[in-house]
């Protein structure tokens, strides 16, 4: 079975597809050709209301389901996702343009990992007993209530599951709004959760642009908002949530440093830089886009990198041999082209790429600039495309200071054969998700998230549970109550 990219309806509310064609039409474009493959409609206020009402009703029941049973629903959903990995991956490729070679291993599989992990951990969610001599306190880990998830367009399936799985494991219900650019796969997650036994209304999907997100964030029925998006959107959503004192998780952008020392294994360092800049055509928040290379290894690094880039297979993303696909949209391609032009204009040395690929769709070449300096635009702003900036450095202290001179703090990496230096340097880099002699691994077992402007809260791992639940503490007095009068 192959999924029809045109979904049954635009939204998934209360356990079923729901259509309302009076909303703004949203064309879904296959980035590799520019053709419209489906149309969905933005949620109207009536659809948003129906989704929140369904979530509110479902959450009340779900919070009473035993955690082990909740976990069983999630692990069943994980199993269904794995069985349908190929079809889900093809749909993700059509929605995002990312090569099937990637989506087969990094999207539905990562989503299934999250469902499996949080499904497994659900039964272990307990409170504490705190002895105080005769009296005692116990704590109850409670659900927050109705939670809103808002996703970016680079990892639609993964984002829906990274938010949905821990939320549901903790007893919450969710209304999820995918990016308008990639609305298709979250609907499949909702369908699969229903099939796995989730009650109607537990996981709802509504489509729309920023206004729909904003309507969800400001609704008083919502207890928490988890956003994956850019820093400017994060600021707006965080502020709106603060107005009603809602919980938030903000997974935002970055301009992460990857520091390569003279003694690094050259091919491993080049592989790390490729993974940290060109996977998903560079549309990854944690990418190490400021590649600091120590002067002694610089020319060898650039030469080997240029050689390795020739092996990129740019083409039809649905062909499993393709390893590099298009930008998600024409608009994103233009934004990235703007940065490439700035790189040239500000005097960076173009080592490879720099142009569009001669074919339909929104393809850009993998692009590398060398001799980049800290003040250049391409070294300061998040590009979210296949543009690597290589900067030189002399000393460890200099590399650390320059790597930290940014408003962002999502990720950081270091390549060196000197293990004490590796730990010393990583210990001083101000970032949430770090790597030693590797880059961009994101197993569900590890906390993921940023510091500084890159966000608050953590996704994945046991740490995520604290962001999807709250503690009630109960003081129990065993004797008489003393009072002043
Ligand atoms: P945006 O910030 O533009 O959008 C993110 C989501 O928020 C979209 O669904 C968007 O809707 C919605 N939105 C926009 N305005 C509002 C608002 N006022 N209230 C509520 N919701 C709103 O990001 P992109 O989709 O362009 O994604 C790219 C960005 O995401 C990059 O900066 C990247 O770094 C970041 N990112 C971070 C990750 C992380 O985990 N740290 C992972 C992946 C990406 P719509 O776009 O449909 O209008």
């Amino acid at each position: 079975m192959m999924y029809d990219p045109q979904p049954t309806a635009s939204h998934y509310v209360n356990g079923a597809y729901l259509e309302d064609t009076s909303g703004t039409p949203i064309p879904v474009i296959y980035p590799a050709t520019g053709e419209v493959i489906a149309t969905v409609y933005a949620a109207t206020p009536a659809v948003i209301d129906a989704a929140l009402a369904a979530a509110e009703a479902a959450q009340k029941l779900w919070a009473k389901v035993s955690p082990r049973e909740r976990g069983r629903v999630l692990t069943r959903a994980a199993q269904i996702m794995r069985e349908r990995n190929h079809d889900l991956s093809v749909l993700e490729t059509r929605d995002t343009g990312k090569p099937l070679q990637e989506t087969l291993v990094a999207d539905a599989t990562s989503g299934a990992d999250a469902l499996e992990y949080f499904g497994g951990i659900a039964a272990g969610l307990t409170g504490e007993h705190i002895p105080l001599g005769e009296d005692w306190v116990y704590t109850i880990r409670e659900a927050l209530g109705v939670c809103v998830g808002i996703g970016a367009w680079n990892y639609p399936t993964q984002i829906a599951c990274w938010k949905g799985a821990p939320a549901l494991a903790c007893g919450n219900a969710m209304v999820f709004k995918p990016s308008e650019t990639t609305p298709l796969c979250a609907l499949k997650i909702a369908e699969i959760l229903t099939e796995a036994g989730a009650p109607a209304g537990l996981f709802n999907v509504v489509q729309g642009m920023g206004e729909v997100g904003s309507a969800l964030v400001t609704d008083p029925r919502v207890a928490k908002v988890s956003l994956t998006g850019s820093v400017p959107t994060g600021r707006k959503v965080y502020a709106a949530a603060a107005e009603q004192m809602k919980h938030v998780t903000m997974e935002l952008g970055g301009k992460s440093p990857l520091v390569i020392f003279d003694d690094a294994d050259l091919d491993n360092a080049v592989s790390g830089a490729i993974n940290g800049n060109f996977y998903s055509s560079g549309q990854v928040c944690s990418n190490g886009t400021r590649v600091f290379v120590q002067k002694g290894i610089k020319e060898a690094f650039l030469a080997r990198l240029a050689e390795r880039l020739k092996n990129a297979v740019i083409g039809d993303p649905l062909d499993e041999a393709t390893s590099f696909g298009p930008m998600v949209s024409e608009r994103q391609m233009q934004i990235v082209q703007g940065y490439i032009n700035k790189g040239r204009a500000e005097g960076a040395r173009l080592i490879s790429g720099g142009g569009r690929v001669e074919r339909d769709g929104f393809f850009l070449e993998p692009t590398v600039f060398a001799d980049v300096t800290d003040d250049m635009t391409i070294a300061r702003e998040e590009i979210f495309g296949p543009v690597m900036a290589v900067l030189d450095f002399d000393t460890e202290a200099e590399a650390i200071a320059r790597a930290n001179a940014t408003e962002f703090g999502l990720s950081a990496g270091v390549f060196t054969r000197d293990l004490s230096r590796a730990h010393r340097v990583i210990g001083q880099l101000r970032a949430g998700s770090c790597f030693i002699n590797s880059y961009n691994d994101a197993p569900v077992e590890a906390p993921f998230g940023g510091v500084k402007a890159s966000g608050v809260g953590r996704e994945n791992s046991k740490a995520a549970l604290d962001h999807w639940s709250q503690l009630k503490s109960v003081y129990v007095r065993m004797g008489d109550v003393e009072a002043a009068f």
Side-chain angles (χ1 to χ4, degrees):
M1 181 193 71
M2 201 64 101
Y3 289 126
D4 183 348
Q6 177 62 52
T8 310
S10 301
H11 318 289
Y12 195 92
V13 171
N14 206 20
Y17 277 97
L18 176 67
E19 192 54 281
D20 182 350
T21 53
S22 64
T24 309
I26 301 172
V28 185
I29 292 163
Y30 180 42
T33 60
E35 75 187 297
V36 176
I37 55 168
T39 303
V40 296
Y41 297 86
T44 55
V47 168
I48 295 170
D49 184 62
L52 288 168
E56 202 176 27
Q59 197 271 325
K60 289 198 174 76
L61 301 174
W62 183 245
K64 294 197 187 100
V65 172
S66 81
R68 183 156 42 78
E69 176 53 26
R70 285 188 220 144
R72 205 178 291 141
V73 171
L74 300 185
T75 46
R76 239 183 255 134
Q79 195 185 333
I80 299 173
M81 282 185 77
R82 291 200 200 285
E83 283 160 9
R84 294 186 199 154
N85 183 45
H86 189 267
D87 292 348
L88 290 167
S89 303
V90 169
L91 189 66
E92 185 84 322
T93 287
R94 298 178 87 174
D95 209 6
T96 61
K98 295 194 294 180
L100 190 57
Q101 191 187 91
E102 290 186 15
T103 53
L104 281 170
V105 297
D107 293 277
T109 52
S110 164
D113 286 351
L115 288 160
E116 208 163 58
Y117 180 87
F118 290 106
I121 226 167
L125 281 170
T126 56
E128 263 186 311
H129 170 264
I130 304 164
L132 299 167
E134 196 189 18
D135 295 351
W136 46 285
V137 166
Y138 66 94
T139 62
I140 305 172
R141 194 174 275 278
E142 288 185 336
L144 300 172
V146 174
C147 299
V148 162
I150 300 178
W153 39 254
N154 57 346
Y155 281 82
T157 302
Q158 184 188 85
I159 293 169
C161 293
W162 281 19
K163 298 189 190 308
L168 270 42
C170 291
N172 306 287
M174 178 163 275
V175 178
F176 186 81
K177 189 199 84 67
S179 164
E180 64 169 296
T181 312
T182 55
L184 302 182
C185 288
L187 293 167
K188 294 293 164 204
I189 308 301
E191 245 183 74
I192 287 170
L193 279 163
T194 299
E195 201 178 326
L202 191 66
F203 185 83
N204 308 275
V205 176
V206 298
Q207 309 293 353
M209 291 62 115
E211 307 91 77
V212 172
S214 173
L216 290 169
V217 173
T218 51
D219 192 285
R221 284 169 286 189
V222 172
K224 159 154 191 157
V225 181
S226 176
L227 170 84
T228 295
S230 61
V231 173
T233 304
R235 288 203 170 96
K236 279 191 234 159
V237 172
Y238 199 171
E243 192 66 36
Q244 292 171 32
M245 215 55 83
K246 292 176 187 190
H247 297 257
V248 295
T249 298
M250 295 284 145
E251 293 293 354
L252 309 176
K255 188 76 197 176
S256 301
L258 171 55
V259 183
I260 297 169
F261 286 93
D262 282 345
D263 68 347
D265 178 285
L266 184 62
D267 262 304
N268 282 334
V270 169
S271 295
I274 289 173
N275 291 344
N277 281 271
F278 301 126
Y279 203 71
S280 300
S281 297
Q283 304 166 114
V284 180
C285 52
S286 50
N287 270 356
T289 48
R290 288 184 296 144
V291 182
F292 290 91
V293 183
Q294 205 167 16
K295 282 189 180 145
I297 199 178
K298 175 186 159 185
E299 288 310 325
F301 175 85
L302 291 173
R304 189 74 187 114
L305 179 64
E307 223 173 282
R308 294 270 301 270
L309 286 176
K310 292 194 196 115
N311 301 332
V313 181
I314 306 176
D316 176 5
L318 288 165
D319 178 346
E320 271 186 62
T322 296
S323 57
F324 187 85
M327 296 284 91
V328 76
S329 64
E330 187 165 20
R331 182 167 163 265
Q332 189 61 21
M333 179 182 74
Q334 288 161 353
I335 291 171
V336 177
Q337 283 175 311
Y339 279 110
I340 292 172
N341 292 340
K342 275 196 188 130
R344 283 201 175 99
E346 292 178 9
R349 171 160 63 107
L350 187 66
I351 296 286
S352 56
R356 263 188 93 161
V357 177
E358 294 282 327
R359 54 179 295 142
D360 288 344
F362 316 129
F363 288 86
L364 290 175
E365 294 169 325
T367 297
V368 178
F369 282 107
D371 304 339
V372 177
T373 52
D374 297 352
D375 56 324
M376 289 181 189
T377 310
I378 58 166
R380 286 186 291 108
E381 295 182 13
E382 182 180 49
I383 299 175
F384 228 59
V387 183
M388 184 195 300
V390 178
L391 305 95
D392 320 334
F393 74 94
D394 285 304
T395 68
E396 181 181 312
E398 174 205 342
I400 294 166
R402 290 170 58 200
N404 283 336
T406 168
E407 65 163 324
F408 301 108
L410 186 51
S411 292
V414 54
F415 274 85
T416 174
R417 282 200 177 92
D418 177 343
L419 275 186
S420 31
R421 171 157 62 196
H423 295 290
R424 188 168 65 229
V425 171
I426 268 307
Q428 292 174 79
L429 293 177
R430 296 186 60 203
S433 301
C434 297
F435 309 91
I436 290 177
N437 291 331
S438 189
Y439 206 86
N440 260 354
D441 315 73
V444 67
E445 294 87 345
F448 182 82
V451 303
K452 301 200 281 181
S454 292
V456 291
R458 290 292 176 269
E459 298 203 291
N460 291 342
S461 80
K462 293 195 278 287
L465 300 169
D466 288 331
H467 299 287
W468 293 102
S469 60
Q470 59 197 345
L471 290 179
K472 170 182 279 181
S473 81
V474 182
Y475 188 105
V476 181
R477 183 175 295 281
M478 300 300 285
D480 294 332
V481 180
E482 271 181 42
F485 53 87

